């Protein structure tokens, strides 16, 4: 696949920005407990978009060792301090500064990358999270309509072109891809609305790819069309 010009560089910049921010926050908020925030070997792929997008996510928890009682491990106001650090670093915290009793601070950069610091009610640990934005790295591969499985010249004796796919053999809705924009979102998820901007299971073949009437043959026995009866 051909890479999109500049996309890899942007992706790597965002990875470095998010990771650097998380480490800087940890150095200020939990000194002596700074996770590595290791970069995963491969980015996470979202195949539900066209073209597919990729992102990296970080999540690390630091835990107080032997704190008695545990709620004294991390004092109140940690989220407020995190929000102030994020704001000073150019991250958008939503215009609201958390108070001493708040347990979460989140910062977002233009374009989508974000970081978040949260503390449980017990204040016995601190959770650091971060994520890059969704970035397409590769040019979409153009879909080529497949050739027909059957034509009037290749019909078997006593058969006619399939009334559903007209000889194509592949599903006439998705043309053999199995997925279409705005399709069914997933198995057993009828309650989830379809998203017109995301790929979903083909409503006709349900990812089987072939025509559900002729099972890929492109032809059916003469008289099989129920609409002719």
């Amino acid at each position: 696949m051909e890479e999109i010009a500049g996309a890899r560089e942007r992706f790597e910049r965002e990875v470095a920005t998010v990771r650097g921010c998380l480490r800087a926050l940890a150095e200020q908020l939990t000194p002596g407990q700074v996770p590595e925030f290791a970069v995963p070997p491969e980015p996470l792929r979202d195949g539900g978009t066209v073209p597919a997008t990729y992102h990296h996510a970080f999540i690390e928890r630091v835990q107080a060792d032997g704190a008695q009682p545990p709620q004294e491990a991390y004092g109140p106001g940690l989220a407020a301090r995190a929000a102030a650090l994020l704001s000073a670093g150019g991250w958008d915290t939503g215009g609201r500064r958390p108070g001493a009793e708040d347990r979460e601070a989140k910062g977002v950069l233009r374009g989508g990358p974000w970081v978040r610091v949260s503390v449980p009610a017990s204040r016995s640990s601190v959770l650091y999270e971060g994520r890059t934005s969704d970035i397409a790295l590769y040019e979409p591969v153009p879909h080529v309509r497949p050739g027909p499985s059957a034509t009037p010249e290749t019909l078997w004796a006593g058969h006619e072109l399939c009334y559903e796919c007209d000889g194509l053999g592949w599903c006439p809705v998705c043309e053999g891809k199995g997925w279409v924009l705005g399709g069914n979102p997933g198995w057993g998820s009828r309650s989830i609305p379809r998203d017109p901007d995301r790929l979903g299971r083909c409503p006709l073949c349900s990812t089987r790819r072939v025509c559900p009437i002729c099972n890929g043959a492109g032809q059916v026995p003469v008289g099989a069309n129920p609409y002719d009866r």
Side-chain angles (χ1 to χ4, degrees):
M1 292 185 291
E2 182 180 355
E3 287 202 357
I4 298 174
R8 179 74 60 177
E9 290 76 8
R10 176 193 166 194
F11 183 74
E12 292 176 352
R13 283 196 303 269
E14 285 199 8
V15 170
T17 297
V18 172
R19 181 176 180 270
C21 178
L22 288 169
R23 285 188 58 84
L25 286 170
E27 288 169 355
Q28 293 292 322
L29 300 174
T30 54
Q33 292 182 299
V34 181
E36 177 60 28
F37 297 107
V39 178
E42 295 293 336
L44 297 173
R45 179 179 183 272
D46 181 358
T49 60
V50 180
T53 58
Y54 297 80
H55 72 272
H56 268 318
F58 301 91
I59 180 168
E60 295 280 0
R61 183 188 299 274
V62 298
Q63 188 82 29
D65 295 327
Q68 297 294 334
Q71 61 265 27
E72 293 182 359
Y74 301 101
L78 188 143
R81 290 172 56 206
L85 291 169
L86 287 169
S87 182
W91 295 76
D92 181 6
T93 58
R96 174 182 173 274
R97 182 170 181 173
E101 297 306 314
D102 285 334
R103 301 201 305 270
E104 179 180 296
K106 182 176 181 179
V108 181
L109 285 181
R110 183 177 181 180
W114 57 265
V115 295
R116 178 166 55 207
V117 178
S118 53
V119 184
S122 65
R123 299 202 297 273
S124 60
S125 63
V126 179
L127 182 66
Y128 295 99
E129 300 172 89
R131 189 184 188 282
T132 67
S133 59
D134 298 307
I135 299 176
L137 298 178
Y138 303 97
E139 296 285 356
V141 179
H143 172 67
V144 179
R145 178 182 170 89
S149 296
T151 65
E153 294 74 29
T154 62
L155 288 172
W156 304 330
H159 284 67
E160 60 186 357
L161 292 178
C162 174
Y163 56 87
E164 184 68 50
C165 67
D166 197 30
L168 182 63
W170 299 99
C171 172
V173 173
C174 66
E175 295 186 343
K177 298 190 296 292
W179 303 83
V180 294
L181 287 174
N184 298 324
W187 302 106
S189 54
R190 294 182 179 180
S191 61
I192 301 177
R194 297 179 181 181
D195 186 337
D197 298 321
R198 289 188 60 82
L199 290 172
R201 291 184 298 116
C202 174
L204 182 61
C205 73
S206 295
T207 71
R208 290 186 62 233
R209 301 178 61 202
V210 297
C211 172
I213 300 300
C214 66
N215 287 316
Q219 52 190 302
V220 295
V222 172
N225 190 342
Y227 303 108
D228 290 342
R229 299 173 187 172

